[in-house]
Amino acid sequence: MDAKLRQVVEALCREGQVEWTTEKPAPGVEPGVRELFLSVGARGEALPAHPRMLSWKLPQWVRRSAHSTTGVVLQAEAELEALAQELRRPESEGGLGPLLLRVHEPTLDVIAAALLVMYRTLHGHFPPGAEAVSEYVGEWEQGHTERAGEYERALGTVFYAGLRLWPSSLLGRPSREVLELMACVLDTVRTSEELRALPETLIPLQISRRLKADALLYKAELSRAQRVQLDIPLSEAKEAGMRRVDALFLSSFQDVTVLKLLARTDSEHTHYGQGFDFMAVHVPEAEKTYVRHTLSLAPERAGTLADLAGWLDTLEGERLPDGSARARGTRRFEHQPNDYSDPWYSDGYTSARRRSTLVAPPYSGTRLTRRELWEALWSRFNVGRHVHVLRAHTVYARPFLWKGKAPHEVLLARGFHRRSLSDQAVSFHPAVADSFLGDSPAADVAHYEQPADGRTVHVSVYPNRLVVIWIEQPRMAEISMYELAQEQARLAEGRALWELAPLRDMSPELEPLGPERWLVYGAYRISRGRSSMLDDSRSMQGLFHALASGTAPTLERLPSKAAAESRRVLKDAAGETEHWLTSTGGARLELLIEAEEGAPLRCDQDFLLFLLTTGQRYSAFEISRRMAEVEQRYRTSRWQSLRPARSVRSDVMLFTNSLWHSRVGEDPDFNARYLAWHSLHGLQETVGAMKDQASELDQYKRDQFDRMVGLLVFVFLPVSLACGFFSGAQFQDLSPSVGIPGTTTGWFVFLGYTAAFTVLVFGTVALARLLSWRRR
């Protein structure tokens, strides 16, 4: 290392000569006589430049096109000459005190600037490598990580790896090893290309090993990250266009800058193969009063995060993390959107040009947790905010067991009237229509309806005490898909639908069955021409899933890989209609190129198919439960097997034309959706299990019956034989006219006993089996 650079390193490390502090000055505070601000401080545009406030984010230096504090130092030779003279003042004139460096953090930019400042004040000129370092640090500070160079040899990654190995002191003084590393770079490197791939002799072995392990650490961090897509506005205009980007929400103890460098070039784990343009990184630091958050957008790509920091500041509320009231006062920056004394920081505050690609941690702490912050970003930039739903028709359904009097009388008394759905029966087989659509008095299912507050409340009464309440809700006004999914989730999971007049006092007659939420099915007409890109990205697929399942479109509820594989997505031949089927609901998405009206959306065959399979699902569950109760009675009561079965066997045959058959119509697409519902609800397995359960129950009853007959034979046959034998022996010498009056001898008495026993036992068996079969 050059002797002059060695002198600079010793000066920066010597406590009596240079002091370091990371305590941030209040807005408007200026440096003291022997104090220098590096990358900190705020100053109004109307005020003259202060010679000892060196930060590229100050308006005075922004106007001079400075891109880093290191670049500011190179432009501030006159100011540094005045500082050098101040430091050389004799003790009699108040000199010889230590130089106080007030810095934001010991970053690459701050350390490089401090070295150049000390070199200039000690030796009257800058070192030969200053221009190259300034150019490289400027690109790094502006976020142009694509120009950073080779990961394992670039100056930026080498520096931050060293900073992690040899951390700075609590007061902000960097370690000697870090300063010597930067001094060696200044002494050796002369071009920015050399800084993108440092000579191997300059990189300590400890740093080299750490950089090789960082790629593996990054992949490990991805396992607990959220990888989604966001729509970033291209400008601050209200109707500005959007750009879809891959976003990474990451919680990590690694260095934020290193993560950005790895993520921005990560095409393997991104949907669009261009790296993560948007990043939200959360780095917990126990020794600080706040938790570091860095939100950034790749500056080389189109898009803006204008006013994002101000919006996050409003989410903080009126309280600090410790519960005290937030203070208001002088703004730190000229373009700050509020007057909180400690706002979230955005680089858009520092310039009238409003460059807004970075949001940094708040100065005095945040009340927002990592999850809350991620949800807020997901909501603000959600891809569904720019997908326009022109029309919607939604059905909310819930199954119940009826506990009260006959449903027909109760429903008619409450203002419901009988409804036939046969006008929608064109796609169903006649047998299914007769069974389900309620067109005839002998139908398996009866439907009732009553209008209420722009909705229609329906009650479908099934055999086996099952009722399904379903509510139609049409929507004619246009709405975004994100807002519609939120609205559906609130209705499906809340109690707003129970406040409708027809349902308000019906709770005593209903016993909950199945999920304690509404199942959702809807038809949605979406304009492709007025919507952002409808692709197969995780965010868009998750939004479709939320719409189909009736769940809230939150980051936490994005479907897992298993949930995505379990749903069914069917498309028509033209690809303009998609059917999404999930365990809690479904959606028919009509994707239109033009925003045309088309046929009105109403409760049609797809809705009826959803209601049919819902009734089948819970009918099967209830039948299986009742069969289990019957089996339990048979196994606990010895004489129960002699009694004929109840109506369980007839209940199993409910929906003979659909539950046991694989088709409900002749249309292949319609039938495919029916099979998809069956597969999704596991009805084939349920029916198979019910058959096995019925067969097992029949076999058990048969065995019990045979054992009971064997017991009868074992008890009564010896008695009958003994009675017959002794009767025959007693009367064997008498003539037929003397024994039993007018007929027999003693052995005829024996045969009579045997015949009576046969008729009694086997006649009882035959009659019981006949009655049991007829009941089934």
Side-chain angles (χ1 to χ4, degrees):
M1 186 190 302
D2 180 75
K4 292 183 178 180
L5 284 169
R6 173 63 64 184
Q7 185 180 359
V8 169
V9 171
E10 293 298 330
L12 292 174
C13 292
R14 191 174 300 124
E15 294 186 3
Q17 190 170 355
V18 177
E19 298 293 338
W20 296 70
T21 180
T22 56
E23 182 181 353
K24 294 177 176 59
V29 173
E30 297 183 352
V33 176
R34 301 175 69 85
E35 187 176 10
L36 190 66
F37 283 5
L38 292 179
S39 288
V40 294
R43 195 167 182 83
E45 291 188 18
L47 298 176
H50 195 286
R52 290 188 298 281
M53 295 181 68
L54 306 181
S55 173
W56 69 272
K57 299 174 183 178
L58 293 175
Q60 294 78 14
W61 297 108
V62 169
R63 286 195 292 265
R64 294 172 65 173
S65 300
H67 295 141
S68 66
T69 301
T70 304
V72 169
V73 170
L74 291 183
Q75 296 183 41
E77 284 202 79
E79 289 83 352
L80 293 178
E81 180 62 32
L83 177 63
Q85 294 178 4
E86 177 66 30
L87 295 177
R88 288 193 292 267
R89 286 174 57 191
E91 185 176 2
S92 59
E93 299 179 10
L96 299 181
L99 171 65
L100 178 62
L101 294 179
R102 192 181 296 271
V103 300
H104 172 57
E105 282 181 354
T107 62
L108 174 64
D109 189 23
V110 166
I111 298 301
L115 282 167
L116 296 181
V117 165
M118 187 53 62
Y119 196 101
R120 178 63 179 77
T121 56
L122 291 179
H123 307 299
H125 61 88
F126 291 113
E131 289 289 343
V133 171
S134 175
E135 180 183 350
Y136 181 89
V137 173
E139 296 288 353
W140 184 276
E141 195 69 12
Q142 294 297 309
H144 298 152
T145 52
E146 78 282 2
R147 305 175 194 173
E150 300 178 21
Y151 180 75
E152 295 182 7
R153 294 178 59 190
L155 172 60
T157 52
V158 168
F159 170 83
Y160 281 105
L163 199 63
R164 298 287 291 181
L165 288 171
W166 305 299
S168 304
S169 67
L170 294 177
L171 297 177
R173 184 185 299 276
S175 64
R176 179 181 289 273
E177 291 84 354
V178 171
L179 290 173
E180 288 179 349
L181 172 65
M182 289 299 297
C184 290
V185 171
L186 283 170
D187 185 32
T188 306
V189 178
R190 296 294 179 267
T191 65
S192 57
E193 287 74 18
E194 292 179 284
L195 293 172
R196 295 186 179 98
L198 292 175
E200 294 184 1
T201 55
L202 288 181
I203 306 175
L205 184 60
Q206 304 97 307
I207 294 179
S208 180
R209 286 198 299 261
R210 182 178 183 87
L211 291 176
K212 285 180 170 60
D214 275 347
L216 297 177
L217 292 175
Y218 167 71
K219 289 185 178 180
E221 292 292 338
L222 287 177
S223 64
R224 56 179 179 176
Q226 284 279 12
R227 285 168 276 176
V228 294
Q229 291 72 42
L230 303 176
D231 277 348
I232 303 297
L234 294 175
S235 70
E236 299 179 36
K238 185 176 181 181
E239 300 297 331
M242 300 291 161
R243 186 171 71 91
R244 185 72 54 80
V245 302
D246 282 299
L248 180 65
F249 296 165
L250 192 64
S251 175
S252 173
F253 291 93
Q254 288 183 266
D255 183 81
V256 173
T257 310
V258 173
L259 287 172
K260 288 180 184 177
L261 187 59
L262 286 166
R264 293 269 160 78
T265 58
D266 184 5
S267 60
E268 179 183 356
H269 299 97
T270 55
H271 179 75
Y272 301 114
Q274 298 180 350
F276 292 102
D277 283 0
F278 185 93
M279 288 192 66
V281 183
H282 165 88
V283 183
E285 294 191 6
E287 67 272 12
K288 294 193 175 182
T289 58
Y290 61 89
V291 179
R292 292 183 59 194
H293 297 277
T294 298
L295 315 176
S296 64
L297 180 67
E300 65 273 11
R301 304 290 180 89
T304 178
L305 302 180
D307 297 329
L308 176 59
W311 176 70
L312 291 173
D313 213 34
T314 61
L315 296 181
E316 296 287 348
E318 299 293 331
R319 296 288 175 181
L320 293 173
D322 60 3
S324 60
R326 297 183 69 188
R328 294 179 179 269
T330 305
R331 297 180 179 181
R332 287 186 178 273
F333 303 99
E334 191 73 21
H335 302 285
Q336 184 179 323
N338 53 49
D339 58 351
Y340 286 124
S341 61
D342 289 301
W344 281 72
Y345 164 73
S346 169
D347 62 359
Y349 294 168
T350 62
S351 169
R353 290 182 296 177
R354 307 291 285 165
R355 174 187 177 272
S356 300
T357 59
L358 176 70
V359 178
Y363 282 104
S364 63
T366 175
R367 303 180 67 189
L368 300 176
T369 65
R370 170 176 56 94
R371 177 59 61 178
E372 289 173 341
L373 182 62
W374 289 2
E375 287 289 356
L377 293 171
W378 167 251
S379 173
R380 183 176 178 87
F381 300 117
N382 195 282
V383 297
R385 289 191 176 276
H386 312 287
V387 177
H388 297 272
V389 179
L390 307 179
R391 297 287 186 273
H393 193 92
T394 313
V395 161
Y396 301 87
R398 281 190 67 174
F400 296 91
L401 291 179
W402 188 268
K403 299 189 300 183
K405 300 178 180 179
H408 178 76
E409 299 176 2
V410 175
L411 293 174
L412 293 180
R414 290 181 175 273
F416 287 86
H417 61 273
R418 187 76 179 263
R419 164 77 187 280
S420 172
L421 302 177
S422 57
D423 56 334
Q424 302 295 333
V426 291
S427 298
F428 290 95
H429 280 310
V432 179
D434 293 340
S435 172
F436 173 68
L437 299 183
D439 192 28
S440 66
D444 290 321
V445 183
H447 302 282
Y448 302 85
E449 70 175 18
Q450 182 179 354
D453 299 336
R455 303 178 175 97
T456 304
V457 179
H458 299 260
V459 179
S460 296
V461 181
Y462 296 73
N464 203 32
R465 298 190 304 123
L466 174 70
V467 296
V468 175
I469 297 178
W470 49 288
I471 301 172
E472 286 187 78
Q473 177 168 303
R475 170 178 280 279
M476 305 300 293
E478 184 177 314
I479 190 174
S480 74
M481 183 180 286
Y482 177 70
E483 294 171 337
L484 180 58
Q486 283 187 318
E487 178 185 290
Q488 283 191 176
R490 285 194 299 268
L491 291 175
E493 298 175 358
R495 292 195 55 83
L497 295 178
W498 286 111
E499 300 302 323
L500 297 176
L503 301 179
R504 196 170 298 154
D505 301 323
M506 198 179 287
S507 298
E509 284 85 12
L510 301 175
E511 178 181 338
L513 178 68
E516 295 188 4
R517 68 187 305 276
W518 293 89
L519 306 177
V520 179
Y521 187 87
Y524 311 97
R525 189 163 291 159
I526 299 172
S527 171
R528 281 184 178 272
R530 299 186 53 199
S531 300
S532 61
M533 183 169 45
L534 302 178
D535 57 13
D536 60 346
S537 63
R538 183 168 184 259
S539 292
M540 185 57 67
Q541 300 294 298
L543 191 63
F544 285 159
H545 188 95
L547 199 68
S549 60
T551 57
T554 62
L555 189 65
E556 187 176 3
R557 293 192 180 182
L558 275 179
S560 63
K561 186 177 181 180
E565 291 175 350
S566 66
R567 67 192 174 202
R568 302 290 184 272
V569 181
L570 306 175
K571 299 182 181 181
D572 64 358
E576 296 179 351
T577 302
E578 297 182 4
H579 299 268
W580 285 63
L581 315 177
T582 72
S583 59
T584 59
R588 186 181 72 215
L589 306 173
E590 301 176 7
L591 309 175
L592 306 179
I593 299 298
E594 301 293 338
E596 57 189 15
E597 287 294 330
L601 295 178
R602 57 176 181 168
C603 183
D604 56 16
Q605 60 184 12
D606 287 316
F607 289 86
L608 298 179
L609 199 60
F610 162 71
L611 295 169
L612 171 64
T613 52
T614 299
Q616 290 175 350
R617 176 185 184 182
Y618 290 100
S619 291
F621 290 167
E622 178 62 14
I623 293 168
S624 180
R625 183 187 65 81
R626 291 187 58 193
M627 289 176 66
E629 291 179 354
V630 172
E631 182 177 1
Q632 184 178 12
R633 288 198 304 270
Y634 285 156
R635 293 186 183 275
T636 56
S637 175
R638 174 165 304 191
W639 301 101
Q640 186 72 32
S641 59
L642 294 178
R643 300 175 57 189
R646 298 173 61 190
S647 60
V648 175
R649 193 60 180 240
S650 62
D651 291 338
V652 174
M653 299 304 294
L654 176 66
F655 293 128
T656 305
N657 302 292
S658 56
L659 185 61
W660 302 99
H661 294 78
S662 60
R663 295 193 306 165
V664 293
E666 296 299 333
D667 185 351
D669 291 335
F670 182 64
N671 198 61
R673 292 195 292 277
Y674 175 72
L675 293 178
W677 279 117
H678 262 223
S679 174
L680 192 66
H681 293 327
L683 281 178
Q684 299 295 346
E685 294 80 2
T686 301
V687 170
M690 289 168 58
K691 288 181 177 179
D692 294 341
Q693 189 178 15
S695 299
E696 181 182 354
L697 182 58
D698 286 344
Q699 184 62 40
Y700 179 78
K701 287 180 59 182
R702 191 177 299 113
D703 294 341
Q704 288 289 88
F705 195 89
D706 293 342
R707 281 196 292 269
M708 188 61 64
V709 171
L711 178 62
L712 292 174
V713 172
F714 178 78
V715 172
F716 291 106
L717 181 58
V719 173
S720 178
L721 291 175
C723 292
F725 177 79
F726 288 113
S727 297
Q730 179 181 0
F731 301 114
Q732 65 180 343
D733 295 333
L734 299 178
S735 65
S737 62
V738 175
I740 300 228
T743 58
T744 184
T745 63
W747 293 109
F748 288 161
V749 173
F750 168 76
L751 294 177
Y753 271 106
T754 303
F757 167 78
T758 302
V759 172
L760 173 66
V761 174
F762 292 98
T764 303
V765 172
L767 181 61
R769 285 191 180 278
L770 178 62
L771 292 176
S772 178
W773 176 81
R774 289 177 63 106
R775 292 291 292 173
R776 298 179 189 181

